[in-house]
Amino acid sequence: MSDYPKFRSIPRLHRPVVVSEKVDGTNGLIEIVSADDYFQEPIPANRSGYAVNVGEDVYFVFAGSRNRWLSPEEDNFGFCAWVWDNAVELASTLGPGKHYGEWFGQGIQSGYGLDEKRFALFNTDRWFDPRNPGDIGRYLEHFPKAQRVPFIVTVVPVIAVGSGRDLNSTVEYALNTLESEGSVIAPGFMKPEGVVVWHAAARTYFKATIDNDEQPKSVAERMQRAKQDAANLKSLVNSIKDEITV
């Protein structure tokens, strides 16, 4: 095999794009490894996993965040604890492989007004959730091989499907839809974050937010905290004024 550093092929822009709701939570990974694969390439000893029996098969289930493996002692908003508590169902329904998604809900980022936490898978080619409004028809048309997502998890809702030729207008449509109608993944929540765009040919993701899209994430987060601090201060001042008036 040649070791020449060949420049990679450039994907065509005018290929399908899938625009889904950007879920405001924390990144999560569920990796499910069969016992045969586990013992062929042993997992490092410092990586915590949970062994489960599914019928006659044995699987090892691991939980991770964006950049580290998790354990119940070093968790991320309870994600590892949830994965291990539900390891049998996850292993039997998701199957072996790496399953990336977003862990969201109560106490995480915006929280969506939920009183529980949920896990939304990213892979819209493979999964659809009939509980997401409008998803059934959209998936039947564009994702004929997609399977119904296991009940214990969900999948990021698809807002629009288009071509790279109409990329900007497709993204604007999705953003306007979310801004006017609210979140799809948490109906009734009127402050959705934005969208994620999957470009099929490039095999990569892009994102666009409803607010402060032109700002780096760190700057946007500081601006949001400053706005919240200002609102809290205003509320405190009003409370003091009310007490003085009384």
Side-chain angles (χ1 to χ4, degrees):
M1 180 181 293
S2 173
D3 60 355
Y4 181 75
K6 179 183 176 182
F7 188 79
R8 67 183 183 88
S9 298
I10 299 175
R12 292 185 180 272
L13 175 62
H14 298 162
R15 291 294 183 266
V17 294
V18 179
V19 185
S20 58
E21 180 176 355
K22 185 179 187 302
V23 180
D24 187 19
T26 184
N27 193 257
L29 164 63
I30 300 170
E31 183 174 15
I32 300 168
V33 182
S34 69
D36 290 342
D37 290 340
Y38 178 88
F39 290 111
Q40 283 181 11
E41 295 186 20
I43 302 297
N46 61 352
R47 181 171 155 189
S48 298
Y50 193 86
V52 296
N53 292 300
V54 179
E56 297 180 354
D57 299 317
V58 176
Y59 294 95
F60 292 85
V61 181
F62 303 90
S65 64
R66 180 182 297 278
N67 49 27
R68 66 183 177 90
W69 293 106
L70 304 174
S71 69
E73 295 75 30
E74 297 183 3
D75 210 339
N76 185 33
F77 292 101
F79 181 59
C80 182
W82 176 83
V83 170
W84 285 23
D85 285 346
N86 297 280
V88 173
E89 185 171 357
L90 291 168
S92 62
T93 54
L94 295 179
K98 295 180 175 67
H99 306 279
Y100 292 93
E102 195 82 355
W103 180 236
F104 70 102
Q106 184 183 47
I108 307 174
Q109 304 290 17
S110 65
Y112 290 93
L114 299 174
D115 58 5
E116 62 181 4
K117 297 180 181 70
R118 303 173 186 172
F119 187 61
L121 296 164
F122 290 151
N123 191 344
T124 55
D125 286 346
R126 180 175 179 183
W127 305 106
F128 77 93
D129 191 340
R131 293 167 293 186
N132 290 337
D135 262 5
I136 295 179
R138 200 171 284 128
Y139 274 93
L140 289 176
E141 180 180 356
H142 297 286
F143 308 103
K145 295 182 180 180
Q147 308 169 48
R148 181 187 293 262
V149 74
F151 183 81
I152 194 173
V153 298
T154 184
V155 65
V156 292
V158 172
I159 309 300
V161 179
S163 164
R165 188 182 301 275
D166 308 309
L167 180 58
N168 286 341
S169 60
T170 303
V171 171
E172 285 302 313
Y173 164 79
L175 288 171
N176 291 337
T177 299
L178 286 172
E179 188 170 19
S180 61
E181 300 181 9
S183 172
V184 177
I185 202 160
F189 184 76
M190 297 306 297
K191 291 292 290 181
E193 185 179 15
V195 299
V196 170
V197 182
W198 168 251
H199 192 286
R203 307 300 295 174
T204 192
Y205 292 99
F206 303 90
K207 65 182 178 181
T209 57
I210 294 174
D211 296 323
N212 304 314
D213 187 57
E214 69 285 354
Q215 300 285 354
K217 183 177 181 180
S218 59
V219 175
E221 287 177 342
R222 288 199 298 270
M223 291 174 62
Q224 184 60 37
R225 286 196 297 269
K227 288 172 63 176
Q228 186 60 54
D229 289 343
N232 292 340
L233 179 59
K234 182 178 180 180
S235 178
L236 177 61
V237 169
N238 289 337
S239 297
I240 294 173
K241 287 180 177 179
D242 291 341
E243 290 180 5
I244 293 175
T245 301
V246 173

PDB file of all heavy atoms in Angstrom, residues 95-109:
ATOM      1  N   GLY A  95     -28.240  -2.453  20.373  1.00  0.00           N
ATOM      2  CA  GLY A  95     -27.284  -3.352  19.752  1.00  0.00           C
ATOM      3  C   GLY A  95     -25.853  -2.844  19.866  1.00  0.00           C
ATOM      4  O   GLY A  95     -25.600  -1.710  20.290  1.00  0.00           O
ATOM      5  N   PRO A  96     -24.882  -3.681  19.462  1.00  0.00           N
ATOM      6  CA  PRO A  96     -23.464  -3.308  19.572  1.00  0.00           C
ATOM      7  C   PRO A  96     -23.133  -2.068  18.747  1.00  0.00           C
ATOM      8  O   PRO A  96     -23.727  -1.819  17.702  1.00  0.00           O
ATOM      9  CB  PRO A  96     -22.735  -4.537  19.022  1.00  0.00           C
ATOM     10  CG  PRO A  96     -23.704  -5.661  19.165  1.00  0.00           C
ATOM     11  CD  PRO A  96     -25.057  -5.048  18.948  1.00  0.00           C
ATOM     12  N   GLY A  97     -22.170  -1.296  19.249  1.00  0.00           N
ATOM     13  CA  GLY A  97     -21.724  -0.103  18.531  1.00  0.00           C
ATOM     14  C   GLY A  97     -21.656   1.097  19.434  1.00  0.00           C
ATOM     15  O   GLY A  97     -21.916   1.017  20.646  1.00  0.00           O
ATOM     16  N   LYS A  98     -21.290   2.224  18.825  1.00  0.00           N
ATOM     17  CA  LYS A  98     -21.220   3.501  19.539  1.00  0.00           C
ATOM     18  C   LYS A  98     -22.467   4.319  19.209  1.00  0.00           C
ATOM     19  O   LYS A  98     -22.732   4.595  18.041  1.00  0.00           O
ATOM     20  CB  LYS A  98     -19.954   4.270  19.160  1.00  0.00           C
ATOM     21  CG  LYS A  98     -18.651   3.595  19.591  1.00  0.00           C
ATOM     22  CD  LYS A  98     -17.456   4.432  19.164  1.00  0.00           C
ATOM     23  CE  LYS A  98     -16.151   3.846  19.692  1.00  0.00           C
ATOM     24  NZ  LYS A  98     -15.830   2.529  19.077  1.00  0.00           N
ATOM     25  N   HIS A  99     -23.205   4.702  20.224  1.00  0.00           N
ATOM     26  CA  HIS A  99     -24.470   5.412  20.050  1.00  0.00           C
ATOM     27  C   HIS A  99     -24.339   6.800  20.691  1.00  0.00           C
ATOM     28  O   HIS A  99     -24.369   6.941  21.915  1.00  0.00           O
ATOM     29  CB  HIS A  99     -25.618   4.625  20.680  1.00  0.00           C
ATOM     30  CG  HIS A  99     -25.707   3.208  20.179  1.00  0.00           C
ATOM     31  ND1 HIS A  99     -26.311   2.896  18.989  1.00  0.00           N
ATOM     32  CD2 HIS A  99     -25.244   2.044  20.711  1.00  0.00           C
ATOM     33  CE1 HIS A  99     -26.235   1.579  18.795  1.00  0.00           C
ATOM     34  NE2 HIS A  99     -25.594   1.048  19.823  1.00  0.00           N
ATOM     35  N   TYR A 100     -24.182   7.817  19.827  1.00  0.00           N
ATOM     36  CA  TYR A 100     -23.992   9.190  20.301  1.00  0.00           C
ATOM     37  C   TYR A 100     -25.330   9.915  20.401  1.00  0.00           C
ATOM     38  O   TYR A 100     -26.244   9.677  19.601  1.00  0.00           O
ATOM     39  CB  TYR A 100     -23.083   9.961  19.350  1.00  0.00           C
ATOM     40  CG  TYR A 100     -21.651   9.481  19.329  1.00  0.00           C
ATOM     41  CD1 TYR A 100     -21.228   8.527  18.409  1.00  0.00           C
ATOM     42  CD2 TYR A 100     -20.719   9.979  20.237  1.00  0.00           C
ATOM     43  CE1 TYR A 100     -19.913   8.082  18.385  1.00  0.00           C
ATOM     44  CE2 TYR A 100     -19.402   9.544  20.221  1.00  0.00           C
ATOM     45  CZ  TYR A 100     -19.003   8.596  19.291  1.00  0.00           C
ATOM     46  OH  TYR A 100     -17.702   8.160  19.272  1.00  0.00           O
ATOM     47  N   GLY A 101     -25.412  10.826  21.370  1.00  0.00           N
ATOM     48  CA  GLY A 101     -26.638  11.585  21.521  1.00  0.00           C
ATOM     49  C   GLY A 101     -26.479  12.708  22.526  1.00  0.00           C
ATOM     50  O   GLY A 101     -25.360  13.059  22.925  1.00  0.00           O
ATOM     51  N   GLU A 102     -27.617  13.262  22.944  1.00  0.00           N
ATOM     52  CA  GLU A 102     -27.630  14.386  23.883  1.00  0.00           C
ATOM     53  C   GLU A 102     -28.465  14.007  25.108  1.00  0.00           C
ATOM     54  O   GLU A 102     -29.613  13.553  24.974  1.00  0.00           O
ATOM     55  CB  GLU A 102     -28.215  15.632  23.216  1.00  0.00           C
ATOM     56  CG  GLU A 102     -27.951  16.922  23.963  1.00  0.00           C
ATOM     57  CD  GLU A 102     -26.570  17.510  23.699  1.00  0.00           C
ATOM     58  OE1 GLU A 102     -25.770  16.847  23.004  1.00  0.00           O
ATOM     59  OE2 GLU A 102     -26.280  18.619  24.193  1.00  0.00           O
ATOM     60  N   TRP A 103     -27.882  14.183  26.284  1.00  0.00           N
ATOM     61  CA  TRP A 103     -28.537  13.937  27.567  1.00  0.00           C
ATOM     62  C   TRP A 103     -29.104  15.281  28.026  1.00  0.00           C
ATOM     63  O   TRP A 103     -28.356  16.244  28.208  1.00  0.00           O
ATOM     64  CB  TRP A 103     -27.508  13.392  28.528  1.00  0.00           C
ATOM     65  CG  TRP A 103     -27.897  13.043  29.929  1.00  0.00           C
ATOM     66  CD1 TRP A 103     -27.341  13.523  31.078  1.00  0.00           C
ATOM     67  CD2 TRP A 103     -28.860  12.069  30.367  1.00  0.00           C
ATOM     68  NE1 TRP A 103     -27.904  12.937  32.184  1.00  0.00           N
ATOM     69  CE2 TRP A 103     -28.841  12.035  31.787  1.00  0.00           C
ATOM     70  CE3 TRP A 103     -29.756  11.232  29.694  1.00  0.00           C
ATOM     71  CZ2 TRP A 103     -29.665  11.197  32.529  1.00  0.00           C
ATOM     72  CZ3 TRP A 103     -30.584  10.392  30.441  1.00  0.00           C
ATOM     73  CH2 TRP A 103     -30.535  10.375  31.841  1.00  0.00           C
ATOM     74  N   PHE A 104     -30.418  15.381  28.157  1.00  0.00           N
ATOM     75  CA  PHE A 104     -31.025  16.690  28.400  1.00  0.00           C
ATOM     76  C   PHE A 104     -32.190  16.570  29.366  1.00  0.00           C
ATOM     77  O   PHE A 104     -32.691  15.479  29.646  1.00  0.00           O
ATOM     78  CB  PHE A 104     -31.503  17.308  27.073  1.00  0.00           C
ATOM     79  CG  PHE A 104     -32.693  16.612  26.457  1.00  0.00           C
ATOM     80  CD1 PHE A 104     -33.964  17.149  26.578  1.00  0.00           C
ATOM     81  CD2 PHE A 104     -32.565  15.412  25.753  1.00  0.00           C
ATOM     82  CE1 PHE A 104     -35.077  16.525  26.019  1.00  0.00           C
ATOM     83  CE2 PHE A 104     -33.664  14.778  25.188  1.00  0.00           C
ATOM     84  CZ  PHE A 104     -34.923  15.335  25.315  1.00  0.00           C
ATOM     85  N   GLY A 105     -32.636  17.738  29.834  1.00  0.00           N
ATOM     86  CA  GLY A 105     -33.799  17.756  30.721  1.00  0.00           C
ATOM     87  C   GLY A 105     -33.485  18.422  32.048  1.00  0.00           C
ATOM     88  O   GLY A 105     -32.655  19.339  32.126  1.00  0.00           O
ATOM     89  N   GLN A 106     -34.143  17.975  33.078  1.00  0.00           N
ATOM     90  CA  GLN A 106     -34.114  18.618  34.395  1.00  0.00           C
ATOM     91  C   GLN A 106     -32.687  18.873  34.878  1.00  0.00           C
ATOM     92  O   GLN A 106     -31.861  17.955  34.961  1.00  0.00           O
ATOM     93  CB  GLN A 106     -34.835  17.740  35.410  1.00  0.00           C
ATOM     94  CG  GLN A 106     -34.962  18.349  36.789  1.00  0.00           C
ATOM     95  CD  GLN A 106     -35.626  17.387  37.758  1.00  0.00           C
ATOM     96  OE1 GLN A 106     -35.279  16.220  37.827  1.00  0.00           O
ATOM     97  NE2 GLN A 106     -36.601  17.884  38.497  1.00  0.00           N
ATOM     98  N   GLY A 107     -32.379  20.148  35.145  1.00  0.00           N
ATOM     99  CA  GLY A 107     -31.092  20.502  35.726  1.00  0.00           C
ATOM    100  C   GLY A 107     -29.931  20.596  34.758  1.00  0.00           C
ATOM    101  O   GLY A 107     -28.800  20.860  35.171  1.00  0.00           O
ATOM    102  N   ILE A 108     -30.187  20.395  33.450  1.00  0.00           N
ATOM    103  CA  ILE A 108     -29.123  20.456  32.453  1.00  0.00           C
ATOM    104  C   ILE A 108     -29.411  21.609  31.493  1.00  0.00           C
ATOM    105  O   ILE A 108     -30.450  21.597  30.816  1.00  0.00           O
ATOM    106  CB  ILE A 108     -29.009  19.142  31.646  1.00  0.00           C
ATOM    107  CG1 ILE A 108     -28.888  17.937  32.573  1.00  0.00           C
ATOM    108  CG2 ILE A 108     -27.825  19.203  30.695  1.00  0.00           C
ATOM    109  CD1 ILE A 108     -28.909  16.599  31.844  1.00  0.00           C
ATOM    110  N   GLN A 109     -28.512  22.581  31.434  1.00  0.00           N
ATOM    111  CA  GLN A 109     -28.667  23.732  30.541  1.00  0.00           C
ATOM    112  C   GLN A 109     -30.069  24.352  30.710  1.00  0.00           C
ATOM    113  O   GLN A 109     -30.494  24.641  31.797  1.00  0.00           O
ATOM    114  CB  GLN A 109     -28.382  23.322  29.094  1.00  0.00           C
ATOM    115  CG  GLN A 109     -27.023  22.682  28.888  1.00  0.00           C
ATOM    116  CD  GLN A 109     -25.866  23.660  29.037  1.00  0.00           C
ATOM    117  OE1 GLN A 109     -25.981  24.748  29.587  1.00  0.00           O
ATOM    118  NE2 GLN A 109     -24.703  23.262  28.576  1.00  0.00           N
TER     119      GLN A 109
END
